[in-house]
Amino acid sequence: MGRNSPEHRRRCPPRPPPRRHGPQDMASLPIPDELLAEIFVRLPTPTDLVRASAACVSFRRVVADRSFLRQFRKLHAPPLLGFLGPHTGFDPAERPHPSASAATAVALAADFSFSFLPAPDPAHRWVVWDVRDGRVLLRGMPLENSHGVVFTETVVCDPLHRRYLMLPSIPDDLAASVEGLRPRSCEIFLVPEGGDESTTAEETSFRVIWVGHYEDKLITYVFSSSTRHWQAIRSLTWTDLSAGLLSSTETTLFCRRQYVYGCFYWLPNSKHGIKMLVLNTRKMEFSIAEPPAEPKVCYRHITMVEAGEGRPGLVVLTYGPRGHIYTIWRNNNGSSSQWQKDKVIPPSPGSGYVLRHSMGTHLLLNHWGLSFDEELCPDLCTLDMKTLQIERVCASTAQSFAYSNYPPSLSSPTVSNGKLSVA
């Protein structure tokens, strides 16, 4: 009996053709968590990651892993979610801004009334003084006549996770150097901790800097959340900095502090000023830098910006016959004397855009439209320095602080302990 005989075919039916995997079969094949993590960490925005985590339980498990979230936050800066006023609360980004959904979630989850903070001293109230990396610095200011206040209660908090750290007073032995002296101006502000390690301790680390501009010198104290102590930076006279002496007609040589690539920059206080004060936060050292030789404009019309490749840039606003013109100067080799004109942004559409300051590679603009009225809440917009696109964020007070953070499901506390204070 041969293989092709009828009897053989009846006893040995033909083999079925090889099975081909259809889309449903392929979809059921398990993907290792390690591969999912490698895919998710490359998603362009936190909002995209939130959408991915909502797709199924296995995706959500990968995204919720703490080590994965630390890696994602290390690679992706927190998006701008809105603006926080000194007294007016939080104004979230509005549609069609891409962060609108995350901003709404944070507005619902966070406590921007700061009801979780202990009450300040009698006849004082908490006032928002600085905002950075999801943290808010508040000072206890007198309800009346707060002019001339130098040292006061200070707290750093995380309103999304309702945690706070009361800062201790600057020790008497440090403050003795300015006892009886009245600064021309003083300020206190947050500085990012920096560093490359993605540990829980690093995510909750921060520093606070107090700077006093006195008639003949600069006094600086630094608080570290890691050590819970203040320390003094070496006092420098204006002569040490080669900045000249304060004139009798000006309160201070520098103003409008801005942060770019690990350094704080203070701009000249008038169009007659020719130098900028620089604080390197890695070395905690002050220096003097010179802006481009031309043009000389009012300090309100210049701002620092991250120009790419770790190099600082300077944006100068001038007025042309068709509107505002932004000229970008780039420091090519880190030397204060090496400024080169990088690009010129043509007049902005419409009118009423006022240069505010920068966030990384974006400029923040106030937009009042055709009529300028500081009593009204302007539209706050961003200008992308790469694409030159203007994007409206929301309406808020002109004095509000930019608030950036991750959506609640992707965030972690930025203050180490919610109720620990240092006496």
Side-chain angles (χ1 to χ4, degrees):
M1 182 176 62
R3 289 179 177 272
N4 295 323
S5 66
E7 184 66 23
H8 178 79
R9 286 195 296 270
R10 283 195 299 269
R11 294 183 179 182
C12 303
R15 295 179 181 178
R19 182 181 177 185
R20 296 181 178 180
H21 292 288
Q24 293 181 349
D25 297 317
M26 294 298 292
S28 65
L29 295 178
I31 302 177
D33 287 356
E34 295 80 5
L35 180 57
L36 286 175
E38 289 296 321
I39 296 172
F40 291 159
V41 81
R42 289 169 171 79
L43 291 176
T45 69
T47 300
D48 294 326
L49 184 61
V50 171
R51 294 194 186 103
S53 68
C56 63
V57 174
S58 60
F59 286 9
R60 188 174 186 84
R61 181 182 65 250
V62 173
V63 172
D65 181 75
R66 291 185 178 181
S67 61
F68 169 81
L69 286 177
R70 284 196 296 270
Q71 183 183 12
F72 185 86
R73 290 192 294 262
K74 178 182 177 181
L75 297 175
H76 301 268
L80 174 64
L81 299 183
F83 292 84
L84 185 61
H87 313 290
T88 56
F90 179 60
D91 296 311
E94 302 170 359
R95 296 186 184 279
H97 193 276
S99 297
S101 59
T104 300
V106 167
L108 294 173
D111 181 2
F112 289 109
S113 66
F114 306 106
S115 61
F116 59 95
L117 295 179
D121 289 340
H124 287 66
R125 63 174 176 175
W126 291 122
V127 176
V128 175
W129 215 256
D130 195 19
V131 178
R132 187 174 296 278
D133 301 330
R135 304 181 186 95
V136 181
L137 184 148
L138 302 97
R139 299 180 72 192
M141 301 301 291
L143 296 176
E144 298 180 1
N145 191 23
S146 61
H147 179 71
V149 173
V150 178
F151 301 117
T152 183
E153 284 184 293
T154 305
V155 62
V156 174
C157 72
D158 178 345
L160 180 57
H161 295 90
R162 293 171 170 78
R163 296 189 175 201
Y164 68 88
L165 179 67
M166 294 292 298
L167 271 60
S169 301
I170 296 177
D172 293 340
D173 59 332
L174 296 182
S177 61
V178 295
E179 186 176 359
L181 301 176
R182 178 66 60 182
R184 297 286 184 112
S185 67
C186 63
E187 51 190 325
I188 186 169
F189 51 92
L190 290 159
V191 57
E193 184 64 26
D196 297 327
E197 296 182 0
S198 297
T199 64
T200 301
E202 195 269 326
E203 288 189 329
T204 59
S205 298
F206 62 89
R207 288 175 290 174
V208 174
I209 297 178
W210 184 94
V211 177
H213 298 248
Y214 289 82
E215 182 175 358
D216 61 345
K217 59 185 174 181
L218 193 67
I219 301 292
T220 308
Y221 306 115
V222 181
F223 172 83
S224 169
S225 64
S226 300
T227 63
R228 307 290 176 92
H229 294 295
W230 290 94
Q231 66 177 25
I233 295 180
R234 184 173 67 91
S235 298
L236 297 172
T237 66
W238 298 118
T239 303
D240 293 333
L241 291 167
S242 300
L245 297 176
L246 288 173
S247 69
S248 60
T249 60
E250 293 180 327
T251 57
T252 182
L253 281 172
F254 307 102
C255 63
R256 291 191 66 211
R257 179 190 71 251
Q258 300 177 32
Y259 182 81
V260 171
Y261 289 135
C263 292
F264 281 103
Y265 292 81
W266 284 263
L267 302 177
N269 196 24
S270 75
K271 63 182 179 180
H272 304 294
I274 60 173
K275 298 180 180 181
M276 299 183 295
L277 179 66
V278 184
L279 172 60
N280 186 317
T281 61
R282 299 180 181 92
K283 299 179 180 179
M284 280 299 163
E285 294 178 353
F286 281 98
S287 62
I288 291 295
E290 295 188 7
E294 54 89 19
K296 299 301 182 184
V297 296
C298 174
Y299 71 89
R300 295 180 181 273
H301 298 155
I302 59 177
T303 189
M304 298 297 298
V305 68
E306 293 181 356
E309 300 178 359
R311 297 172 180 173
L314 188 70
V315 179
V316 179
L317 170 64
T318 54
Y319 297 95
R322 298 177 55 192
H324 300 165
I325 301 173
Y326 298 97
T327 303
I328 304 173
W329 297 78
R330 177 170 169 155
N331 195 305
N332 286 325
N333 65 358
S335 171
S336 61
S337 61
Q338 296 297 318
W339 291 95
Q340 293 185 5
K341 187 178 294 186
D342 187 44
K343 67 177 69 172
V344 177
I345 303 176
S348 58
S351 60
Y353 286 96
V354 178
L355 184 63
R356 183 173 173 147
H357 56 83
S358 68
M359 286 185 58
T361 59
H362 289 71
L363 293 181
L364 294 182
L365 308 173
N366 290 338
H367 183 222
W368 273 275
L370 297 177
S371 61
F372 179 84
D373 186 350
E374 290 190 346
E375 297 299 323
L376 300 177
C377 289
D379 284 339
L380 300 184
C381 307
T382 59
L383 172 63
D384 190 322
M385 302 298 290
K386 296 179 180 179
T387 65
L388 305 184
Q389 295 296 311
I390 294 179
E391 190 170 48
R392 180 183 181 274
V393 182
C394 63
S396 186
T397 61
Q399 295 77 31
S400 56
F401 298 89
Y403 178 84
S404 299
N405 207 342
Y406 299 96
S409 60
L410 306 182
S411 68
S412 66
T414 57
V415 175
S416 61
N417 194 312
K419 295 186 178 181
L420 179 63
S421 63
V422 182

